[in-house]
Structures are given as structure tokens and as C-alpha cells.
Amino acid sequence: MLTNLRIPAKLILSFGTVILLAMLMSAIALYNNFQIKSEWDQFEQVTLSKRSAVTSAVIGLGNGVHHFKNFILRGGDYDKKFLADMDQIDRIAGLYTETNSVSDKEAALLDSIRAGTRDYREAMQQLIRLRAANTAIAEMDHAIKGADKPLGAALDQLIAINTEKSAEASHVFDEKLSDARREILLVSVVIVLVALMLTYTIIRLISTPVKEVVRAAKELAGGNLSVAIESTSRDEMGEMLDAVRNTAHTFSNVMGEIEYCGRY
């Protein structure tokens, strides 16, 4: 088919093909970028939000333990500060649930956290009664010792789950990036191979007739007016070969007439 095209059409077809392949590579890169960004947004919205919530809950528990112990030692309004810390943890557990991406194990741990804040509040109420009865600090501490442990254990397990999910998500992103790089590399190799193939084909389609013209010209210069000239293309080079063939044929006829006239 290329042999029937004009040279400008061949060049346009070749460069157009390379440009289309380059556009294809750009489209693939953009698509992969969009996919990765979409998954990252989901990861940021869900996994990171959940991990941030758990971290805030751990900080809230730390503050609650601090205020709980201060109430044992000093009394004052530390009980109110403690209750505010427990309310904060419950709110965070609610926000965690609202991500709509909670596994059964996470749901069970969230129930344990709510139960832990309830039990810890009850421990504070017990502490308030003991303090009102002027109970010794050592006795109060012994009576409610370890009240924060179930809540802390549930939060630790929730942190472990989120750490594992973050690692899994990071691994998925690494695989996505590797796949994207492989696809771009593959398309790049294909573009280079196609460009080389088209370049070779165009050069061959142009250089072969040129070589045929040079060969025919040398034959004509050597006096061989019956030189055979082959032409298979229909472009400008094919037309030039036809012209050389016609010229050789015309010279041959002229020389034949001259030779004929010389005899008679």
C-alpha cells in the first residue's frame, strides 16, 4: 500500500503514526495517574482518617488517665476533665464508625472501647464516692486500679489493625506505580520499534528507486540503451524511473533511426 502513496503522504502517515502512539502513551499515563490519585484519595479519606481518629483517642485516654490520677491526689475539677476526655473518645469512636469502612473486628473493638469508657466512668463515680468518704489515697488507688486497661487494650488492637491496613495500602500503591511504569516503558518500546520500522520502510521505499535510477544512468552513460529499469512504486520516485525508462527508450529509437539512415 505504501508504494502507491506519494512521498509527502508516506511521511505524514509515518509521523502521524508515531504521534498517535505518543498520544496513546500520554493517555495511558494520565489514566494510571487518575486511578492512583483516586485510590490515594480514598486511602486518605478512610484509612488515614481512621488512623488519625485512633491516635486522637489514644491521646484522649492518656489525658483521661492523667486527670483520673490527679483527682485521686488532688480532687478539684479533674473529674469533669476526665469525663470530657471519655466523651471525646466516644465521639471519636462514632467518627470512626461513620467512615462506612469498618470490619467486623473493628466494630467489635469499637464496642469494647465504648464499654471501656462506660466502665472507666463508673470507676470515676466510685472514686468520687470514696473521696467523699475521706478514703485514704492508697485505698482509692487500690480500689480502682487497672480501670483503664480494657480501654487501652482495645485502642492498641485498633492501632495495630490500622497500621496493618496502612502497610497493605502502601504495598498496593507501590504495585500500582510499578505497573504504571511498566506500561509506560512497554508503550515507549513499542513507539520506538514502530518508529524504527517506519523509518526503515520509508528510507527503503525512497532509496531503492534512487539506486535504480543511478544504476540506469550509469548503464545509459556506458551506451546500454536497452537497459532494463524496474519500477513498482507509484510515487514521485516511480515517476522518475518511468521518465528514465522512457528517455532510454526514446534514445534507443533515435539511435535506431540514425543507424537506419546511415545505412541508406
Side-chain angles (χ1 to χ4, degrees), residues 7-227:
I7 290 178
K10 292 176 182 177
L11 295 175
I12 290 173
L13 177 63
S14 301
F15 287 115
T17 302
V18 174
I19 291 172
L20 286 176
L21 289 174
M23 291 175 64
L24 175 63
M25 183 179 70
S26 299
I28 292 174
L30 288 174
Y31 175 77
N32 287 330
N33 181 68
F34 175 78
Q35 289 290 101
I36 292 172
K37 185 180 184 303
S38 177
E39 292 186 13
W40 172 256
D41 289 342
Q42 183 179 3
F43 170 76
E44 191 175 40
Q45 181 179 355
V46 178
T47 307
L48 292 184
S49 296
K50 287 162 64 175
R51 188 167 184 175
S52 176
V54 177
T55 302
S56 298
V58 171
I59 294 173
L61 177 59
N63 292 334
V65 171
H66 174 71
H67 294 146
F68 191 91
K69 291 182 177 178
N70 275 340
F71 185 76
I72 294 175
L73 298 173
R74 301 180 180 85
D77 65 345
Y78 283 108
D79 58 333
K80 295 181 178 60
K81 293 180 179 179
F82 167 82
L83 292 174
D85 294 330
M86 296 301 103
D87 290 341
Q88 178 188 3
I89 294 174
D90 285 340
R91 284 194 300 272
I92 291 172
L95 292 174
Y96 194 105
T97 304
E98 289 175 2
T99 59
N100 296 322
S101 179
V102 179
S103 65
D104 293 340
K105 187 174 182 180
E106 288 174 304
L109 289 172
L110 290 171
D111 290 339
S112 297
I113 289 171
R114 295 186 184 96
T117 57
R118 183 191 64 238
D119 294 342
Y120 210 6
R121 286 190 185 94
E122 292 177 358
M124 173 57 78
Q125 294 303 319
Q126 181 184 358
L127 185 59
I128 291 173
R129 291 191 294 270
L130 290 173
R131 190 169 186 81
N134 294 319
T135 305
I137 291 177
E139 292 182 15
M140 288 191 292
D141 186 53
H142 179 74
I144 45 79
K145 187 175 182 179
D148 62 308
K149 299 302 181 185
L151 180 55
L155 287 172
D156 287 342
Q157 292 183 59
L158 204 54
I159 287 176
I161 289 175
N162 279 272
T163 299
E164 182 180 355
K165 286 190 174 182
S166 296
E168 290 176 356
S170 177
H171 179 67
V172 170
F173 286 132
D174 287 341
E175 288 186 343
K176 289 284 185 180
L177 290 172
S178 297
D179 290 342
R181 284 193 290 266
R182 281 194 294 269
E183 288 179 1
I184 292 174
L185 179 60
L186 177 61
V187 175
S188 299
V189 170
V190 171
I191 290 175
V192 170
L193 291 177
V194 171
L196 290 174
M197 182 182 68
L198 288 174
T199 300
Y200 171 78
T201 302
I202 296 300
I203 290 175
R204 188 170 179 275
L205 288 174
I206 295 176
S207 64
T208 299
V210 170
K211 291 179 180 178
E212 184 66 12
V213 169
V214 172
R215 183 190 67 80
K218 289 181 178 180
E219 291 286 338
L220 289 174
N224 182 11
L225 299 180
S226 60
V227 58

